[in-house]
Each structure stands twice: as structure tokens, then as C-alpha cells.
Amino acid sequence: MTHNSQQARPLEGIRVIDYSHFLAGPYVGRCLAAMGAEVIKVERPGTGDAGRQHAWFVGDDHAYSGYFLQQNMGKKGLCVNTKDARGRALMQKLVDSADVFIENYRPGALDKLGLGYAALAERNPGLVYCSISAYGHTGPDAHRAGFGLIAEAKSGIMQMVGNPGEAPPLLRISLGDMYTGIHAVAAINAALLGRVKSGKGQHIDMALYDTLVSMHEYAVQCYTLSGGKEVPVQTGHDMPNSTLYGVFRANDGDLVIAAQVDDAWKRFAALVETHGGPTGFGADARFHTNTGRNAQRLEILAVVKPWVAARSVREVLALLDSIDVPSAKVQRIDEVLADPQIQARGMVVEQDHPVIGKIRLPNLPFHFSGCDTSITQVAPDLGQHNAEIAASLGFVEADIAAMQADGVLFSHSGGAA
């Protein structure tokens, strides 16, 4: 894709305070940074964001976390002790200058520090304040702690995956955090747009549990529209309501086939019959509608599973490509990174880190025609931009030096303070 480098990124001129930790909040900040916002990552003295202690580690003494590097690229780093009056004053000035504030603490936790929405909005009425929590700021569970795993279990999503009769598998991706995070990005941008007309910001209350419940594209309506009779359950490797749509094992690996649309099914069934399947399989009218295929699902699987198992992944994919039936190999992560499509789309970003050298991390999926949103600036060291940020807020050099000496502004050795 050709980018017009003369066009500014959409959020240039917007200042974001990222007062979050671990995943959901930092991911929001990373997305806004990619869109051009100045994102200031605020951390506590000592260990900073807990994400800094999350594998995979690189560098001498495992000093750098890939987890942190990925979610915090493109940001400036401020490490300040808000328990000190000078640190609180600096934070207040910083928030006064901000357009967006992101936090993902338990509801009420930041009120005690004077960093809750009510206190900050009183000082800065235009502030868009985004909270991310497990259950949200209202309801009987608002006070409870939680992580993505908790939301995945509570939401009904986990209960539907895996093989019948077995405990559901761990999803191995942070679905709740990432899905809530990207919804928060959308909500923040909408609030910023609304502020243009109203002149006022607002509080955005995002809950991991809410967003995963909203993700159900069929389970909720199956239950409500059936009068409570239909409760989706574990089905293993295919979709009983969308035959044929699922995962199949070849003789050297796994692949997925999506032949659930009538026309695609007819092409697929004819192909199976032509290449060793039972006579009449392609012409069997019982299978020519979705309702019919679902009713005869087990009969169909009894033909398709051994047909796939007798062939290699490559052979099956070639046959399906020849009749335009969607299919794909179930790829390992090394195969994903080597995929020419992923490379062509720029979905791996390379950065030059001043200490650990070249690093490769997943890019964000934004593709704007007028600008490039790939981030080349690596995640900041703890407190790396303390002096720069303090000076931008009007603090003089002597005061900044005193705060650094007293630990009000904290930085790791080797990072510019």
C-alpha cells in the first residue's frame, strides 16, 4: 500500500496519559500512539508496570520483557512517585495538559490518589477518561478483581470450546484484554470526536466481561429466540449449525475447511466424489441446503474425515483452491511469520533497540491510505523521559534535578532521566 507521507496521522496533537499496566490499557495506548497521539506511559517507582516482569525476556540479566516492548512501543516514559507532594503536583499538571487518560485499576483505586474521573474532570472538563476493569464500575461485581481468563470463563465463551465431556482448553491468547482494548480505542476516538461539538470529555467505562458477552454472534440469540431451549455446547472440531465448517486432520497436519455455503458445498461434494469419495455424494440432494446438511452432519463427517486423512495438507489445499472453496493450513507461529501474505502486509515491525539490537514484534492491523502507522520508536526504559516531560510542564531544571535526586522522579540507570 502506498502512503502519502505528507498527511498527518489522525491523532497528532492529542496527548494521552497511559496510567495502566499489563495488557488491556497498554494496548490501548499503543494503538493511540500508532495513530499519532503523544502517549506518556506513567509508572510507579521501583519495578514499574508489572508487564516488565512478564516473559519473554531478552538482554543481559533478562532486563527487557518482550511483552512490555510489544505493548508500550511508541510511548514516552515517566516514572513518578505520586505519594510525594511534588509528584502529585507534576501529575496534576500533566493531566491538565492531556486529552485522554487511560487506567485499568480496580474501580475506586485511583480515587484514593486523586486520579479518579471526578477529580480530574473537575480540573480538566475536556478530558476523555477511559477505565478498563474486569466487571466495570457498576453492578454487584464491580469491586471484584479479575483478568481476561476470568472474563473468558464467565462469558460463556470458554464453555463452548473443546471436545464434549472434557474440560475447556485455555485459549492461549488474551481475548478479553485485546477485545476490550480495541473497543476502548474506538470509544476514545468517538469521545474525542464528540468533544469537538460539546467541548466536554466524558468517562468511558469498559469491562472485560461486557465485551466478551457482546462478542457472542449466535449463542445469546440462539438461547433467547428459542425460548431458552437452545444452549450451545462443546462440539469439538466443527460447527453443527454450519455444516461443513471446521478443523480436519490430514496425514501430515491439520487444516480448516469452510464449505458451509450451498454453492461451495456442491463444488466440494462433487470434488470429493471425483477424487475417491462415494458415488452419488456430490448429487445427494439431502445435503444441498444448510438445514439438510446439519441434519445429516454425522453422515457427512463420516465421508469427509477419512477423505482428508488420506491426503497431505498440501494436496487437500490444492484441490480446494482449484474449486474456490475457502481453506487453510493450521499454521504454527514460525509459519505465520514466514507467510508471504503477512510479510506483504507489514504485520511484523522491526525496531532498532539501543541496548538489545534489532527486535521483531507484531504490528497493528491499521492500514491508512494517507499515512503509515507502524511504530519505529521502542518502548521506553523506566522513567526515560522524566526530564523532558517535566520541562514541558514548566518545571525548571533545578526542581527537576531535586526531584530526581530525591526519587520523586525515578529512572533505571542507563536510561536518560
Side-chain angles (χ1 to χ4, degrees):
M1 183 178 293
T2 302
H3 298 284
N4 178 0
S5 60
Q6 295 181 344
Q7 185 170 335
R9 290 181 294 169
L11 294 184
E12 287 192 15
I14 297 294
R15 172 172 274 189
V16 177
I17 310 305
D18 182 351
Y19 201 81
S20 66
H21 57 289
F22 245 122
L23 182 54
Y27 178 73
V28 176
R30 179 192 173 183
C31 290
L32 298 179
M35 295 178 184
E38 178 196 26
V39 180
I40 298 174
K41 172 79 175 179
V42 180
E43 300 180 74
R44 61 187 178 187
T47 58
D49 182 342
R52 290 185 181 273
Q53 284 76 54
H54 196 291
W56 187 261
F57 297 107
V58 290
D60 294 339
D61 299 321
H62 295 150
Y64 293 93
S65 158
Y67 191 92
F68 184 87
L69 291 171
Q70 178 174 330
Q71 303 306 337
N72 294 282
M73 61 175 69
K75 303 176 186 179
K76 295 179 179 178
L78 173 68
C79 188
V80 57
N81 180 6
T82 56
K83 295 181 180 179
D84 186 288
R86 291 168 293 175
R88 285 196 299 274
L90 187 149
M91 273 300 299
Q92 287 173 344
K93 285 190 175 183
L94 181 61
V95 174
D96 290 347
S97 73
D99 300 285
V100 178
F101 188 94
I102 305 164
E103 63 92 7
N104 61 346
Y105 289 84
R106 199 183 302 198
L110 294 191
D111 292 334
K112 302 172 185 177
L113 299 176
L115 295 174
Y117 173 68
L120 299 189
E122 185 175 354
R123 296 178 59 94
N124 181 358
L127 185 67
V128 173
Y129 188 109
C130 182
S131 296
I132 301 175
S133 60
Y135 296 100
H137 282 231
T138 59
D141 290 332
H143 66 286
R144 303 185 66 183
F147 293 91
L149 178 67
I150 309 302
E152 290 157 14
K154 292 275 288 185
S155 68
I157 291 176
M158 185 176 287
Q159 182 269 338
M160 296 190 301
V161 297
N163 292 316
E166 297 180 4
L170 191 69
L171 297 181
R172 292 299 301 274
I173 59 169
S174 299
L175 193 68
D177 289 274
M178 303 298 268
Y179 194 65
T180 305
I182 200 60
H183 272 69
V185 172
I188 287 168
N189 279 304
L192 288 172
L193 184 60
R195 191 182 66 168
V196 174
K197 294 182 179 180
S198 69
K200 296 181 180 180
Q202 56 185 304
H203 184 205
I204 299 168
D205 176 9
M206 301 293 304
L208 275 64
Y209 190 14
D210 291 350
T211 52
L212 287 187
V213 170
S214 79
M215 196 173 185
H216 285 292
E217 84 283 7
Y218 80 98
V220 172
Q221 45 98 347
C222 281
Y223 179 77
T224 59
L225 299 183
S226 70
K229 296 178 182 178
E230 183 69 24
V231 178
V233 296
Q234 292 171 303
T235 60
H237 299 103
D238 72 306
M239 296 275 282
N241 294 325
S242 295
T243 307
L244 180 88
Y245 189 92
V247 186
F248 297 88
R249 174 145 289 180
N251 61 25
D252 62 349
D254 300 316
L255 68 149
V256 294
I257 301 173
Q260 80 282 21
V261 179
D262 290 348
D263 287 345
W265 165 261
K266 292 174 184 177
R267 295 195 301 275
F268 174 74
L271 176 83
V272 170
E273 180 179 351
T274 302
H275 290 76
T279 301
F281 186 68
D284 195 327
R286 295 178 301 156
F287 307 153
H288 288 182
T289 65
N290 186 57
T291 300
R293 287 192 299 279
N294 291 340
Q296 311 299 329
R297 167 175 163 262
L298 295 180
E299 183 178 343
I300 289 172
L301 291 176
V303 172
V304 175
K305 284 184 176 182
W307 185 86
V308 173
R311 293 163 172 79
S312 68
V313 170
R314 182 186 294 272
E315 181 184 355
V316 176
L317 295 181
L319 287 170
L320 297 185
D321 280 348
S322 72
I323 58 169
D324 197 27
V325 168
S327 59
K329 181 181 181 182
V330 177
Q331 297 191 131
R332 300 184 310 269
I333 201 65
D334 57 320
E335 295 173 306
V336 175
L337 297 181
D339 192 326
Q341 179 67 19
I342 289 300
Q343 294 175 354
R345 297 286 289 175
M347 283 308 300
V348 177
V349 61
E350 288 192 352
Q351 297 178 327
D352 292 314
H353 194 281
V355 178
I356 57 178
K358 189 176 294 294
I359 56 177
R360 300 171 68 228
L361 297 165
N363 207 347
L364 294 170
F366 308 129
H367 294 274
F368 291 83
S369 64
C371 58
D372 186 2
T373 57
S374 295
I375 298 174
T376 57
Q377 178 187 335
V378 301
D381 281 342
L382 191 60
Q384 180 176 340
H385 302 95
N386 286 344
E388 175 189 331
I389 294 167
S392 75
L393 298 173
F395 289 88
V396 299
E397 188 174 338
D399 290 339
I400 295 172
M403 286 192 287
Q404 290 176 169
D406 295 341
V408 179
L409 292 175
F410 179 90
S411 65
H412 279 161
S413 58

